[in-house]
């Protein structure tokens, strides 16, 4: 198997995910809610859940398609690069269209296009991890998740909060950042040509006899893929627990804690600064420590439990101290999680010939959960009240950790 030296792969795995995740987090958690509120303030909670539901469907389908297509691509630029660069370009256009939307249907159409394009970046890019040398996969995973995703999750939000009152301009600027970042990452990584790689083409007879039974082989049975499914379900629970809070962070500040716009902006920046520091710190040390001590399952499982504990501080204290405790606990937990969870999934993939597909599908935990969480949260808010989302987030995070710790093929 071809490999790429870490001196090229690591910078690409930092810039690449930061460039797609950062703009997505900022647009989905700040600019989209702000624009929806501007267009239809009365129905903002329901509309945000609707956008999330539609986005979830688009993300799920496009992620699987992107992973499948990139696995089967042969080009002078490799399997993944053509798709992720093209996806970044379309995402940029979608964000520009969103910035010009004057009605909810136009905004919905732009957002749908952006969701589809986003997953044509995500699924191929995460498969770059498989190009790392065997003794450096932990470092590569840490670069992607610990550094790249920390910058995306928190670093961009610090900057994004500045544009909270200019959200239309924010859509445009962050869309451009995604395209330029993906392009720079691709140039740095320089994925090798795979034109010489054989591609098994099904015969006409095979095509004619294709059946539902054949379709069922896309995913292995539980007994064969148990650990992969546990990792996937654990990631989904962790993701919902995380994004139920971050997806509604703007409304938590304004509607639950009753902060004004200036205070909201400052608090969001402070929270994300704390989480960014922890994310970068874990990005530097979690992967190398995992490689050296052969620890993987335990830190990943415990990290999501830390997140759940941090969420409770907001609920019980309902002040800035509670928010800071949440930032510290969630920052440490997410820093460890982002550094190592992709490596854990790489270890439990049931079919090594379809790395792009399985890694891409697993990475739906970063996109689909951002869609599912607001839907569940909106239901909880409307039926029980705003405080219920904190209990929900805690429960989902704990369940996610338990599922990860139940994996058998990775000992510790």
């Amino acid at each position: 198997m071809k490999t790429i030296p870490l001196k090229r792969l690591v910078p690409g795995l930092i810039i690449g995910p930061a460039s797609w995740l950062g703009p997505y987090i900022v647009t989905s958690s700040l600019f989209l809610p702000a624009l929806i509120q501007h267009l239809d303030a009365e129905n903002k909670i329901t509309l945000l859940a609707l956008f999330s539901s539609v986005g979830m469907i688009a993300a799920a389908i496009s992620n699987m398609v992107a992973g499948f297509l990139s696995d089967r691509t042969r080009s002078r630029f490799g399997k993944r690069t053509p798709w992720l660069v093209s996806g970044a370009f379309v995402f940029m256009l979608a964000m520009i269209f969103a910035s010009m939307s004057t009605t909810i249907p136009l905004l919905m159409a732009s957002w749908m296009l952006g969701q589809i394009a986003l997953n044509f970046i995500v699924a191929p890019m995460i498969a770059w991890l498989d190009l790392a040398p065997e003794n450096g996969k932990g470092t590569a995973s840490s670069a992607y998740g610990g550094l790249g995703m920390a910058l995306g999750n928190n670093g961009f939000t610090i900057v994004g909060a500045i544009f909270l009152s200019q959200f239309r301009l924010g859509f445009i600027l962050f869309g451009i950042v995604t395209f330029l970042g993906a392009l720079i990452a691709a140039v740095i990584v320089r994925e090798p040509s795979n034109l010489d790689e054989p591609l098994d083409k099904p015969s006409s007879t095979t095509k004619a006899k294709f059946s539902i039974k054949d379709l069922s082989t896309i995913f292995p049975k539980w007994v064969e893929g148990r650990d992969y499914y546990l990792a996937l379900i654990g990631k989904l629970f962790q993701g919902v627990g995380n994004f139920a809070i971050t997806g509604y962070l703007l409304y938590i500040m304004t509607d639950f804690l009753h902060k004004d716009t200036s205070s909201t902006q400052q608090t969001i920046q402070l929270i994300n600064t704390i989480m960014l520091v922890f994310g970068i710190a874990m990005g530097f040390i979690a992967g190398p420590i995992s490689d050296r001590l052969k620890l993987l399952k335990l830190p990943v499982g415990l990290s999501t439990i830390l997140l759940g504990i941090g969420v409770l501080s907001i609920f019980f204290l309902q002040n800035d101290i509670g928010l800071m405790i949440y930032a510290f606990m969630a920052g440490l937990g997410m820093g460890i999680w982002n550094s190592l969870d992709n490596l854990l999934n790489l270890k439990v993939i049931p079919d090594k010939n379809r790395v792009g597909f399985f890694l891409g599908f697993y990475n739906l935990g970063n996109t689909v959960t951002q869609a599912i969480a607001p839907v569940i949260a909106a239901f909880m808010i409307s039926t029980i009240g705003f405080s219920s989302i904190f209990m929900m987030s805690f429960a989902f995070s704990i369940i996610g950790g338990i599922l990860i710790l139940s994996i058998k093929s990775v000992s510790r």
Side-chain angles (χ1 to χ4, degrees):
M1 177 183 290
K2 295 177 180 178
T3 61
I4 295 176
L6 289 179
K7 65 180 181 181
R8 283 180 15 218
L9 194 58
V10 166
L13 289 174
I14 295 172
I15 296 171
S19 299
W20 70 257
L21 181 60
Y24 175 65
I25 290 290
V26 172
T27 53
S28 64
S29 65
L30 296 180
F31 301 154
L32 181 64
L35 184 51
I36 289 175
Q37 182 170 269
H38 174 73
L39 296 176
D40 190 348
E42 184 178 349
N43 300 302
K44 64 181 181 182
I45 298 291
T46 303
L47 284 172
L48 186 58
L50 175 63
F51 272 70
S52 298
S53 301
V54 174
M56 175 184 65
I57 297 171
I61 295 173
S62 59
N63 195 288
M64 287 187 288
V65 171
F68 173 80
L69 291 176
S70 71
D71 278 338
R72 298 178 64 82
T73 295
R74 303 294 179 268
S75 81
R76 58 174 294 197
F77 301 108
K79 293 182 178 183
R80 320 299 179 185
T81 300
W83 294 106
L84 65 91
V85 171
S86 300
F89 180 73
V90 176
F91 181 78
M92 176 182 67
L93 294 181
M95 293 302 97
I96 293 173
F97 294 152
S99 74
M100 298 186 292
S101 298
T102 54
T103 64
I104 292 296
L106 286 176
L107 182 58
M108 173 69 78
S110 301
W111 192 249
M112 279 280 289
L113 177 63
Q115 290 292 292
I116 293 170
L118 183 76
N119 283 278
F120 274 85
I121 310 170
V122 177
M125 185 177 288
I126 196 172
W128 273 349
L129 289 174
D130 200 42
L131 295 172
E134 191 60 37
N135 63 355
K137 289 191 183 296
T139 300
S141 176
S142 195
Y144 183 96
L147 294 174
M149 296 187 73
L151 288 170
N153 270 314
N154 308 119
F156 278 71
T157 308
I158 296 170
V159 179
I162 298 173
F163 295 92
L164 194 54
S165 60
Q166 297 176 291
F167 45 81
R168 290 188 186 274
L169 175 61
F171 273 112
I172 297 172
L173 292 178
F174 282 87
I176 293 172
V177 166
T178 293
F179 175 63
L180 292 179
L183 189 61
I184 292 169
V187 170
I188 293 173
V189 170
R190 297 201 310 275
E191 187 181 345
S193 169
N194 68 330
L195 289 172
D196 58 342
E197 188 175 321
L199 177 63
D200 295 330
K201 295 183 179 180
S203 65
S204 58
T205 303
T206 302
K207 292 178 182 178
K209 293 182 178 180
F210 184 78
S211 65
I212 297 298
K213 183 178 180 180
D214 298 317
L215 187 62
S216 67
T217 63
I218 292 176
F219 293 100
K221 297 177 180 178
W222 176 266
V223 68
E224 298 168 350
R226 173 189 179 277
D227 286 349
Y228 174 80
Y229 292 132
L230 284 174
L232 175 61
I233 298 169
K235 185 179 182 73
L236 291 173
F237 271 90
Q238 185 269 358
V240 171
N242 178 39
F243 293 122
I245 302 301
T246 59
Y248 275 88
L249 191 57
L250 177 62
Y251 297 159
I252 287 172
M253 296 295 172
T254 58
D255 295 13
F256 182 67
L257 299 177
H258 307 294
K259 291 178 175 288
D260 58 28
T261 300
S262 176
S263 180
T264 294
Q265 177 180 316
Q266 292 172 5
T267 304
I268 289 175
Q269 288 176 316
L270 180 57
I271 288 173
N272 283 279
T273 299
I274 294 171
M275 295 182 72
L276 176 62
V277 170
F278 275 103
I280 291 176
M282 291 302 103
F284 277 113
I285 66 176
I289 289 176
S290 175
D291 283 337
R292 178 171 297 182
L293 300 181
K294 307 302 179 187
L295 281 173
L296 185 56
K297 179 178 70 174
L298 291 176
V300 173
L302 293 175
S303 68
T304 184
I305 294 174
L306 281 176
L307 171 66
I309 295 172
V311 167
L312 291 182
S313 65
I314 303 178
F315 172 72
F316 284 116
L317 298 180
Q318 298 187 24
N319 57 25
D320 287 344
I321 294 176
L323 289 169
M324 293 308 102
I325 294 174
Y326 162 74
F328 281 111
M329 297 292 285
L332 179 60
M334 289 305 298
I336 297 171
W337 175 277
N338 287 334
S339 296
L340 299 176
D341 83 301
N342 286 314
L343 178 59
L344 177 65
N345 185 55
L346 198 58
K347 297 288 187 183
V348 297
I349 281 178
D351 184 353
K352 299 300 183 182
N353 292 320
R354 292 192 289 155
V355 170
F357 174 81
F358 282 110
L359 279 179
F361 191 77
Y362 179 75
N363 208 54
L364 282 175
N366 289 322
T367 51
V368 170
T369 51
Q370 292 187 55
I372 298 174
V375 176
I376 300 175
F379 173 78
M380 298 292 287
I381 292 170
S382 62
T383 56
I384 301 176
F386 226 112
S387 60
S388 63
I389 64 173
F390 303 106
M391 294 295 100
M392 181 200 78
S393 175
F394 171 75
F396 272 65
S397 298
I398 297 300
I399 293 171
I402 292 172
L403 289 169
I404 295 295
L405 294 174
S406 301
I407 291 172
K408 292 181 178 178
S409 60
V410 179
S411 60
R412 59 196 185 107

